[in-house]
Amino acid sequence: MCVGTLSSLVRTRALVLLGAPGGGKGTISKHILKWSGKQAHFQGDNARSRLSHLSIGDVLRSNVERGTPLGQQVGELMKTGALVNDSLILNCLSDEVMRLKAEKFQDVGESSAKAKEEQEKHMHYLLLDGFPRTVPQAEFLVSPEVGIVDAQDSSSQLAVQLDVPVEEIVERISSRWIHRPTGRTYNLQYNPPRAWSAERDPKDGLVDDETGEPLERRPDDEPEVVDARLRTYVENQQPLLEFFTSQDRLIRFSGSTFPDLVGQGKRSDAIVQEMLVNERLNNFWGVL
Ligand code: AMP
């Protein structure tokens, strides 16, 4: 089926996750995906969950690793902690959204007689992790000409800001290790790999639980790059929050209504608990 047909049959709603690098966007995305998979199961929709997770940072890293033209263009810049320019990001976003939509809804539209009925039924939910990072990116997402989200639908987009203290973020990033081939992430404080004990130097042979292969730091998790990423975040975040506030599309979570979890170093879990009981967020998910 051609991409244009798919766009007209499947509408899209986007949940935008905003917050500092290392502030738990990835962890919270995993919780939301798990939850949506369960919902799909309970509704007898085993074949698919209607939610796709998209981290532009992951897409860029994968391009850098594969040495694609995009990867070659952005690799050096990403090592500095600066943002990639908007036009590259917006192309990348449009391509990825189309790909994800086609992947989730490949069977839609095959019986054109039922097209109208299908349109009512099919809603693609996008969980955008790390996008937008600038106001022009945010404007792009809601622009009717671009058509990523359904401009007619007043609930087509909601932004969630994760408020996490900077000291906690720095500590979290400094103990983050990844298994590069799968992207599995460990934190030496909260979920260390099984074969590691606190007495050992982290650089000394950390291995992945599943494959036994060595773990690495993300190159942009090195301390000087983290400083630059946090500075970039602080510069861009306020205008972005103002943009979403002016549209009445922003909800903020800090986990502080679950002080016990925060005290145990489980802020992301506390934030997830807050999200689960948030009425506005629950309305946003609608039929999911
Ligand atoms: P992340 O994993 O989301 O922290 O992204 C890692 C890096 O990818 C960032 O430091 C930027 O260089 C780049 N990047 C990711 N998302 C964006 C975006 N929306 N706009 C510009 N650059 C981005």
Side-chain angles (χ1 to χ4, degrees):
M1 189 191 5
C2 81
V3 159
T5 314
L6 189 61
S7 292
S8 65
L9 292 179
V10 180
R11 294 182 296 148
T12 300
R13 283 184 173 181
L15 183 76
V16 167
L17 272 186
L18 303 172
K25 296 191 292 293
T27 310
I28 285 165
S29 297
K30 280 188 199 130
H31 280 283
I32 296 177
L33 283 168
K34 210 161 130 192
W35 169 81
S36 86
K38 279 194 198 141
Q39 296 294 104
H41 177 77
F42 287 131
Q43 289 162 11
D45 188 0
N46 273 327
R48 58 163 183 255
S49 145
R50 297 189 177 104
L51 179 69
S52 304
H53 171 239
L54 176 54
S55 155
I56 295 289
D58 285 350
V59 174
L60 296 177
R61 272 186 290 279
S62 150
N63 275 274
V64 172
E65 258 156 49
R66 288 178 289 125
T68 66
L70 174 64
Q72 287 172 19
Q73 248 178 308
V74 301
E76 286 307 309
L77 185 91
M78 283 175 74
K79 281 192 206 151
T80 68
L83 291 183
V84 172
N85 83 50
D86 282 347
S87 70
L88 281 179
I89 293 289
L90 299 180
N91 281 335
C92 180
L93 178 91
S94 303
D95 291 351
E96 284 298 311
V97 170
M98 265 308 153
R99 189 184 64 74
L100 290 167
K101 204 182 242 194
E103 190 180 283
K104 288 274 176 203
F105 293 88
Q106 43 189 297
D107 52 333
V108 172
E110 273 155 14
S111 62
S112 53
K114 289 177 104 187
K116 180 78 183 113
E117 193 187 320
E118 284 177 347
Q119 190 172 3
E120 306 283 297
K121 209 167 65 186
H122 292 296
M123 181 70 82
H124 185 211
Y125 287 86
L126 267 181
L127 181 56
L128 293 179
D129 160 354
F131 180 95
R133 299 276 242 272
T134 64
V135 172
Q137 289 182 10
E139 284 167 341
F140 178 84
L141 197 57
V142 282
S143 147
E145 292 79 45
V146 176
I148 288 189
V149 296
D150 180 359
Q152 307 292 320
D153 174 3
S154 58
S155 314
S156 61
Q157 201 198 23
L158 198 58
V160 159
Q161 161 75 8
L162 309 179
D163 286 318
V164 178
V166 172
E167 322 73 76
E168 214 173 290
I169 286 171
V170 171
E171 200 179 301
R172 203 186 284 198
I173 296 185
S174 67
S175 52
R176 173 156 81 180
W177 289 75
I178 56 163
H179 177 238
R180 209 186 265 248
T182 58
R184 245 189 306 281
T185 306
Y186 297 87
N187 182 295
L188 296 187
Q189 288 169 352
Y190 311 127
N191 68 328
R194 282 197 294 271
W196 181 71
S197 68
E199 295 82 56
R200 287 175 63 176
D201 180 340
K203 295 211 165 94
D204 180 18
L206 284 177
V207 294
D208 177 49
D209 287 350
E210 304 292 319
T211 62
E213 290 167 350
L215 300 184
E216 299 169 39
R217 314 282 321 245
R218 258 172 56 172
D220 57 358
D221 277 352
E222 297 299 339
E224 56 288 6
V225 187
V226 170
D227 278 354
R229 288 167 71 204
L230 285 171
R231 268 199 309 276
T232 307
Y233 166 74
V234 170
E235 276 162 26
N236 289 289
Q237 199 61 2
Q238 197 50 35
L240 210 46
L241 293 180
E242 281 164 16
F243 174 85
F244 285 113
T245 305
S246 70
Q247 300 203 339
D248 191 26
R249 291 183 194 271
L250 184 73
I251 324 179
R252 304 181 80 131
F253 296 99
S254 67
S256 59
T257 50
F258 292 88
D260 291 352
L261 286 175
V262 173
Q264 292 163 36
K266 296 182 177 166
R267 187 179 292 274
S268 296
D269 290 349
I271 289 179
V272 169
Q273 294 305 319
E274 287 180 346
M275 290 172 95
L276 283 174
V277 295
N278 185 278
E279 201 181 328
R280 207 161 158 209
L281 206 45
N282 283 323
N283 289 339
F284 169 83
W285 294 121
V287 294
L288 184 75

Short mmCIF file of all heavy atoms in Angstrom, two decimals, residues 17-55:
data_model
loop_
_atom_site.label_atom_id
_atom_site.label_comp_id
_atom_site.label_asym_id
_atom_site.label_seq_id
_atom_site.Cartn_x
_atom_site.Cartn_y
_atom_site.Cartn_z
N LEU A 17 8.03 13.34 25.22
CA LEU A 17 8.68 13.25 26.53
C LEU A 17 9.82 14.26 26.57
O LEU A 17 10.79 14.14 25.81
CB LEU A 17 9.28 11.86 26.73
CG LEU A 17 8.43 10.76 27.31
CD1 LEU A 17 9.27 9.51 27.54
CD2 LEU A 17 7.76 11.18 28.61
N LEU A 18 9.69 15.25 27.46
CA LEU A 18 10.73 16.28 27.57
C LEU A 18 11.49 16.09 28.88
O LEU A 18 10.90 15.68 29.88
CB LEU A 18 10.08 17.67 27.61
CG LEU A 18 9.17 18.08 26.45
CD1 LEU A 18 8.48 19.40 26.79
CD2 LEU A 18 9.98 18.22 25.18
N GLY A 19 12.75 16.43 28.86
CA GLY A 19 13.52 16.35 30.10
C GLY A 19 14.99 16.29 29.76
O GLY A 19 15.37 16.07 28.60
N ALA A 20 15.83 16.47 30.78
CA ALA A 20 17.27 16.53 30.55
C ALA A 20 17.80 15.18 30.06
O ALA A 20 17.22 14.14 30.35
CB ALA A 20 17.95 16.90 31.87
N PRO A 21 18.94 15.21 29.34
CA PRO A 21 19.57 13.95 28.99
C PRO A 21 19.90 13.20 30.28
O PRO A 21 20.36 13.82 31.26
CB PRO A 21 20.86 14.37 28.25
CG PRO A 21 21.03 15.83 28.51
CD PRO A 21 19.68 16.37 28.88
N GLY A 22 19.64 11.92 30.32
CA GLY A 22 19.91 11.16 31.54
C GLY A 22 18.83 11.32 32.59
O GLY A 22 18.96 10.83 33.71
N GLY A 23 17.73 12.00 32.24
CA GLY A 23 16.67 12.25 33.22
C GLY A 23 15.63 11.15 33.29
O GLY A 23 14.61 11.30 33.96
N GLY A 24 15.84 10.05 32.57
CA GLY A 24 14.94 8.90 32.69
C GLY A 24 13.94 8.75 31.55
O GLY A 24 13.03 7.93 31.65
N LYS A 25 14.12 9.49 30.44
CA LYS A 25 13.14 9.39 29.34
C LYS A 25 13.09 7.96 28.78
O LYS A 25 12.03 7.42 28.53
CB LYS A 25 13.47 10.38 28.22
CG LYS A 25 13.38 11.84 28.63
CD LYS A 25 13.45 12.78 27.45
CE LYS A 25 14.79 12.81 26.75
NZ LYS A 25 15.90 13.39 27.52
N GLY A 26 14.29 7.37 28.63
CA GLY A 26 14.34 6.00 28.08
C GLY A 26 13.67 5.00 29.00
O GLY A 26 12.88 4.15 28.56
N THR A 27 13.97 5.10 30.30
CA THR A 27 13.40 4.17 31.27
C THR A 27 11.89 4.30 31.32
O THR A 27 11.15 3.31 31.31
CB THR A 27 13.96 4.49 32.68
OG1 THR A 27 15.36 4.57 32.58
CG2 THR A 27 13.56 3.47 33.71
N ILE A 28 11.42 5.54 31.32
CA ILE A 28 9.97 5.77 31.40
C ILE A 28 9.30 5.30 30.12
O ILE A 28 8.22 4.71 30.14
CB ILE A 28 9.71 7.24 31.76
CG1 ILE A 28 10.03 7.37 33.25
CG2 ILE A 28 8.28 7.66 31.46
CD1 ILE A 28 10.18 8.72 33.78
N SER A 29 9.96 5.48 28.99
CA SER A 29 9.41 4.97 27.72
C SER A 29 9.21 3.46 27.80
O SER A 29 8.20 2.93 27.35
CB SER A 29 10.36 5.25 26.55
OG SER A 29 10.51 6.63 26.38
N LYS A 30 10.20 2.77 28.38
CA LYS A 30 10.08 1.30 28.47
C LYS A 30 8.86 0.93 29.31
O LYS A 30 8.12 0.00 28.97
CB LYS A 30 11.34 0.69 29.10
CG LYS A 30 12.46 0.57 28.10
CD LYS A 30 13.64 -0.19 28.66
CE LYS A 30 14.86 0.11 27.81
NZ LYS A 30 16.04 0.52 28.57
N HIS A 31 8.63 1.64 30.42
CA HIS A 31 7.46 1.36 31.26
C HIS A 31 6.17 1.56 30.46
O HIS A 31 5.25 0.77 30.53
CB HIS A 31 7.41 2.31 32.46
CG HIS A 31 8.32 1.90 33.58
ND1 HIS A 31 8.01 0.87 34.44
CD2 HIS A 31 9.50 2.38 33.98
CE1 HIS A 31 8.98 0.75 35.32
NE2 HIS A 31 9.89 1.65 35.07
N ILE A 32 6.12 2.67 29.71
CA ILE A 32 4.89 2.98 28.96
C ILE A 32 4.65 1.90 27.89
O ILE A 32 3.52 1.45 27.68
CB ILE A 32 4.97 4.38 28.34
CG1 ILE A 32 5.04 5.45 29.44
CG2 ILE A 32 3.77 4.65 27.43
CD1 ILE A 32 5.20 6.87 28.95
N LEU A 33 5.72 1.47 27.23
CA LEU A 33 5.56 0.45 26.18
C LEU A 33 5.06 -0.86 26.78
O LEU A 33 4.20 -1.54 26.21
CB LEU A 33 6.90 0.20 25.49
CG LEU A 33 7.32 1.28 24.50
CD1 LEU A 33 8.77 1.09 24.08
CD2 LEU A 33 6.42 1.24 23.26
N LYS A 34 5.60 -1.20 27.95
CA LYS A 34 5.17 -2.44 28.60
C LYS A 34 3.68 -2.35 28.96
O LYS A 34 2.91 -3.25 28.72
CB LYS A 34 6.00 -2.62 29.89
CG LYS A 34 6.23 -4.06 30.26
CD LYS A 34 7.39 -4.14 31.20
CE LYS A 34 7.02 -4.97 32.41
NZ LYS A 34 7.99 -4.85 33.47
N TRP A 35 3.31 -1.19 29.49
CA TRP A 35 1.92 -0.97 29.88
C TRP A 35 1.01 -1.06 28.66
O TRP A 35 -0.03 -1.71 28.68
CB TRP A 35 1.83 0.40 30.56
CG TRP A 35 0.43 0.86 30.77
CD1 TRP A 35 -0.41 0.49 31.78
CD2 TRP A 35 -0.29 1.77 29.95
NE1 TRP A 35 -1.60 1.11 31.63
CE2 TRP A 35 -1.57 1.90 30.52
CE3 TRP A 35 0.01 2.48 28.80
CZ2 TRP A 35 -2.55 2.72 29.98
CZ3 TRP A 35 -0.96 3.29 28.24
CH2 TRP A 35 -2.22 3.40 28.83
N SER A 36 1.42 -0.45 27.54
CA SER A 36 0.53 -0.44 26.37
C SER A 36 0.42 -1.85 25.79
O SER A 36 -0.61 -2.24 25.27
CB SER A 36 1.01 0.54 25.31
OG SER A 36 1.95 -0.06 24.47
N GLY A 37 1.50 -2.64 25.89
CA GLY A 37 1.44 -4.03 25.43
C GLY A 37 0.41 -4.80 26.24
O GLY A 37 -0.37 -5.58 25.70
N LYS A 38 0.37 -4.54 27.55
CA LYS A 38 -0.61 -5.22 28.42
C LYS A 38 -2.02 -4.82 28.04
O LYS A 38 -2.92 -5.63 27.96
CB LYS A 38 -0.36 -4.87 29.88
CG LYS A 38 0.76 -5.66 30.49
CD LYS A 38 0.71 -5.51 32.00
CE LYS A 38 2.03 -5.93 32.60
NZ LYS A 38 2.44 -5.08 33.70
N GLN A 39 -2.22 -3.51 27.80
CA GLN A 39 -3.56 -3.03 27.42
C GLN A 39 -4.02 -3.75 26.15
O GLN A 39 -5.15 -4.19 26.06
CB GLN A 39 -3.55 -1.52 27.14
CG GLN A 39 -3.22 -0.66 28.32
CD GLN A 39 -4.28 -0.74 29.38
OE1 GLN A 39 -4.09 -1.40 30.39
NE2 GLN A 39 -5.40 -0.11 29.16
N ALA A 40 -3.11 -3.83 25.16
CA ALA A 40 -3.46 -4.46 23.88
C ALA A 40 -3.86 -5.91 24.13
O ALA A 40 -4.81 -6.42 23.55
CB ALA A 40 -2.27 -4.39 22.93
N HIS A 41 -3.14 -6.54 25.05
CA HIS A 41 -3.44 -7.94 25.36
C HIS A 41 -4.84 -8.08 25.97
O HIS A 41 -5.64 -8.90 25.54
CB HIS A 41 -2.37 -8.45 26.33
CG HIS A 41 -2.61 -9.85 26.79
ND1 HIS A 41 -2.34 -10.93 25.98
CD2 HIS A 41 -3.12 -10.33 27.94
CE1 HIS A 41 -2.68 -12.03 26.64
NE2 HIS A 41 -3.15 -11.70 27.83
N PHE A 42 -5.16 -7.19 26.94
CA PHE A 42 -6.46 -7.29 27.60
C PHE A 42 -7.61 -6.99 26.63
O PHE A 42 -8.70 -7.49 26.78
CB PHE A 42 -6.55 -6.33 28.80
CG PHE A 42 -5.73 -6.82 29.96
CD1 PHE A 42 -4.85 -5.97 30.61
CD2 PHE A 42 -5.83 -8.14 30.40
CE1 PHE A 42 -4.08 -6.43 31.67
CE2 PHE A 42 -5.06 -8.61 31.45
CZ PHE A 42 -4.19 -7.74 32.08
N GLN A 43 -7.31 -6.17 25.64
CA GLN A 43 -8.38 -5.84 24.67
C GLN A 43 -8.44 -6.85 23.53
O GLN A 43 -9.11 -6.64 22.53
CB GLN A 43 -8.17 -4.44 24.11
CG GLN A 43 -8.46 -3.38 25.14
CD GLN A 43 -7.85 -2.04 24.77
OE1 GLN A 43 -7.39 -1.85 23.67
NE2 GLN A 43 -7.84 -1.13 25.72
N GLY A 44 -7.70 -7.93 23.65
CA GLY A 44 -7.73 -8.97 22.63
C GLY A 44 -7.03 -8.55 21.36
O GLY A 44 -7.20 -9.15 20.31
N ASP A 45 -6.24 -7.48 21.42
CA ASP A 45 -5.54 -6.99 20.24
C ASP A 45 -4.08 -7.46 20.35
O ASP A 45 -3.16 -6.67 20.45
CB ASP A 45 -5.63 -5.46 20.21
CG ASP A 45 -5.10 -4.88 18.91
OD1 ASP A 45 -4.68 -5.66 18.05
OD2 ASP A 45 -5.14 -3.65 18.77
N ASN A 46 -3.91 -8.77 20.33
CA ASN A 46 -2.58 -9.32 20.56
C ASN A 46 -1.61 -9.03 19.44
O ASN A 46 -0.41 -8.98 19.64
CB ASN A 46 -2.68 -10.85 20.69
CG ASN A 46 -2.97 -11.22 22.11
OD1 ASN A 46 -2.52 -10.53 23.02
ND2 ASN A 46 -3.71 -12.28 22.31
N ALA A 47 -2.15 -8.86 18.25
CA ALA A 47 -1.28 -8.77 17.09
C ALA A 47 -0.34 -7.57 17.17
O ALA A 47 0.76 -7.59 16.69
CB ALA A 47 -2.11 -8.68 15.83
N ARG A 48 -0.79 -6.51 17.77
CA ARG A 48 0.09 -5.35 17.85
C ARG A 48 -0.38 -4.40 18.96
O ARG A 48 -1.53 -4.39 19.34
CB ARG A 48 0.06 -4.58 16.53
CG ARG A 48 -1.34 -4.15 16.20
CD ARG A 48 -1.40 -3.07 15.17
NE ARG A 48 -2.77 -2.71 14.98
CZ ARG A 48 -3.50 -3.07 13.94
NH1 ARG A 48 -2.96 -3.79 12.99
NH2 ARG A 48 -4.76 -2.72 13.86
N SER A 49 0.56 -3.66 19.44
CA SER A 49 0.18 -2.54 20.29
C SER A 49 0.20 -1.34 19.35
O SER A 49 0.96 -1.30 18.39
CB SER A 49 1.21 -2.40 21.39
OG SER A 49 1.38 -1.06 21.68
N ARG A 50 -0.64 -0.37 19.61
CA ARG A 50 -0.72 0.77 18.69
C ARG A 50 0.28 1.86 19.01
O ARG A 50 0.16 2.97 18.55
CB ARG A 50 -2.13 1.35 18.73
CG ARG A 50 -3.18 0.39 18.27
CD ARG A 50 -4.49 1.11 18.13
NE ARG A 50 -5.50 0.20 17.62
CZ ARG A 50 -6.44 -0.34 18.37
NH1 ARG A 50 -6.51 -0.05 19.65
NH2 ARG A 50 -7.32 -1.16 17.84
N LEU A 51 1.23 1.56 19.86
CA LEU A 51 2.18 2.57 20.30
C LEU A 51 3.58 2.28 19.73
O LEU A 51 4.06 1.17 19.82
CB LEU A 51 2.23 2.55 21.82
CG LEU A 51 3.18 3.50 22.51
CD1 LEU A 51 2.72 4.94 22.36
CD2 LEU A 51 3.29 3.17 23.98
N SER A 52 4.19 3.32 19.14
CA SER A 52 5.58 3.17 18.70
C SER A 52 6.45 4.14 19.47
O SER A 52 6.08 5.31 19.64
CB SER A 52 5.73 3.53 17.22
OG SER A 52 4.90 2.78 16.42
N HIS A 53 7.61 3.66 19.87
CA HIS A 53 8.56 4.51 20.58
C HIS A 53 9.59 5.01 19.57
O HIS A 53 10.11 4.23 18.78
CB HIS A 53 9.24 3.66 21.66
CG HIS A 53 10.39 4.35 22.32
ND1 HIS A 53 11.67 3.84 22.31
CD2 HIS A 53 10.46 5.50 23.01
CE1 HIS A 53 12.47 4.65 22.97
NE2 HIS A 53 11.76 5.67 23.41
N LEU A 54 9.86 6.31 19.60
CA LEU A 54 10.87 6.84 18.68
C LEU A 54 11.84 7.74 19.42
O LEU A 54 11.45 8.78 19.96
CB LEU A 54 10.16 7.61 17.55
CG LEU A 54 11.06 8.32 16.54
CD1 LEU A 54 12.07 7.36 15.91
CD2 LEU A 54 10.23 8.96 15.44
N SER A 55 13.09 7.30 19.48
CA SER A 55 14.14 8.15 20.04
C SER A 55 15.04 8.57 18.88
O SER A 55 15.73 7.73 18.29
CB SER A 55 14.96 7.37 21.09
OG SER A 55 16.25 7.92 21.20
#
